Amino acid sequence: RGKQSIEVITVCFTLKVVFPNYFMLLRGNHETKAINRQYGFLQELEERFSKDQAEKLFAEFNEVFTYMPLACIMGNSILCMHGGISPKLTSLQDILDIPKPIVEPNTNELAGDLLWSDPMIGLKGYKENNVRGCSVHFGEDVLEGVLEKLDLRMIVRGHQMMMNGFNFFHSQKMVTVFTAASYYPEKANRGAVMYVSADFRVGFKILVPQKGEGGKKVFRGEHEMSNDYDDGHVRKADED
């Protein structure tokens, strides 16, 4: 999404290759051809390579994305994904059973939700996610049910810009962590990095935009509609 996407993804992949047991990379909703073509990755490749080289690199990067994991678990108690939970998530085995390579995750309901779903304050159950145009919103009640059924203490996800870099949902049983500072140029949001101690205490390091970054567009493409809700997670009252 940014102006140095090639460097960012190359560093991520290099760290995974060199230190495979220390870096766990998960697929996000932008790791598909249609999305990263729309939001500037192909454009960046074409600006820096010949047309043939750009198309080849674009295809090869996207082939790697089809094999990336959609979720991981920390210490058998913290489940991590980009989007959120799903009506199809009844066990951790359900995630392992998602076939790979998966070129278009939205062809598999669970895969699509792991990349695209969002929490909604005050909602009971699940409802169609009209903000995204795909996947679902989920409420505190179904989150509680998933945590109990899967014997988890917390879910960590991204997918929504938070002005302070992170925001808890449902009594700190879920947290949205958004690391990209200055994502929203008009307000220069902070970014956050979450860390977990050996005894599962959670903390955050905050990334403050440098002076003068406000109003400077850092990321390519238009912002998703979800950024209209820049005060945190969507509330049901906002939808009614």
Side-chain angles (χ1 to χ4, degrees):
R1 240 349 249 278
K3 297 178 181 178
Q4 294 177 302
S5 294
I6 300 169
E7 286 84 355
V8 170
I9 192 62
T10 301
V11 168
C12 288
F13 283 169
T14 301
L15 289 169
K16 179 61 178 175
V17 170
V18 177
F19 305 106
N21 296 324
Y22 290 88
F23 287 86
M24 306 301 162
L25 300 179
L26 302 184
R27 189 176 185 179
N29 66 320
H30 276 250
E31 277 75 69
T32 65
K33 277 187 177 181
I35 299 296
N36 62 52
R37 181 191 300 274
Q38 179 181 353
Y39 287 99
F41 186 49
L42 178 59
Q43 179 185 342
E44 181 176 343
L45 289 166
E46 290 175 340
E47 289 170 355
R48 299 169 64 179
F49 297 92
S50 70
K51 182 175 176 57
D52 288 346
Q53 286 177 316
E55 290 179 354
K56 183 173 185 292
L57 286 167
F58 184 73
E60 290 175 342
F61 272 114
N62 276 283
E63 182 179 4
V64 176
F65 297 155
T66 68
Y67 289 92
M68 289 180 70
L70 302 173
C72 70
I73 191 164
M74 297 170 52
N76 293 317
S77 64
I78 300 178
L79 182 63
C80 308
M81 77 284 283
H82 179 76
I85 61 174
S86 169
K88 296 295 184 181
L89 180 58
T90 61
S91 70
L92 295 176
Q93 187 63 42
D94 293 336
I95 300 175
L96 292 172
D97 289 342
I98 297 172
K100 291 191 182 67
I102 181 166
V103 175
E104 178 44 67
N106 284 334
T107 59
N108 179 293
E109 185 175 340
L110 175 56
D113 292 339
L114 290 171
L115 298 185
W116 285 95
S117 72
D118 292 308
M120 178 177 281
I121 298 169
L123 175 68
K124 298 293 185 183
Y126 293 93
K127 65 170 290 186
E128 186 178 350
N129 192 330
N130 293 321
V131 174
R132 304 289 183 182
C134 64
S135 189
V136 294
H137 282 296
F138 55 90
E140 294 97 329
D141 57 339
V142 290
L143 171 61
E144 187 72 39
V146 166
L147 291 172
E148 183 176 351
K149 183 177 291 187
L150 275 56
D151 193 23
L152 301 170
R153 67 172 69 193
M154 175 183 276
I155 288 177
V156 180
R157 43 94 65 178
H159 199 42
Q160 287 173 288
M161 192 276 290
M162 298 291 155
M163 284 302 296
N164 197 44
F166 72 96
N167 200 344
F168 284 106
F169 179 80
H170 187 42
S171 302
Q172 300 188 0
K173 294 185 177 181
M174 171 180 278
V175 62
T176 298
V177 182
F178 198 86
T179 308
S182 290
Y183 178 78
Y184 206 6
E186 294 83 0
K187 297 187 178 181
N189 65 286
R190 296 180 176 189
V193 177
M194 176 177 159
Y195 61 91
V196 184
S197 66
D199 58 354
F200 291 99
R201 287 185 294 175
V202 171
F204 300 89
K205 296 185 185 297
I206 303 300
L207 308 176
V208 180
Q210 294 183 8
K211 187 176 181 180
E213 286 186 340
K216 174 183 174 184
K217 190 175 174 104
V218 178
F219 291 86
R220 295 173 183 260
E222 296 301 318
H223 296 293
E224 292 96 335
M225 289 173 59
S226 60
N227 286 338
D228 294 340
Y229 304 98
D230 61 9
D231 58 343
H233 301 116
V234 180
R235 294 179 180 273
K236 188 174 188 299
D238 297 331
E239 292 280 291
D240 294 340

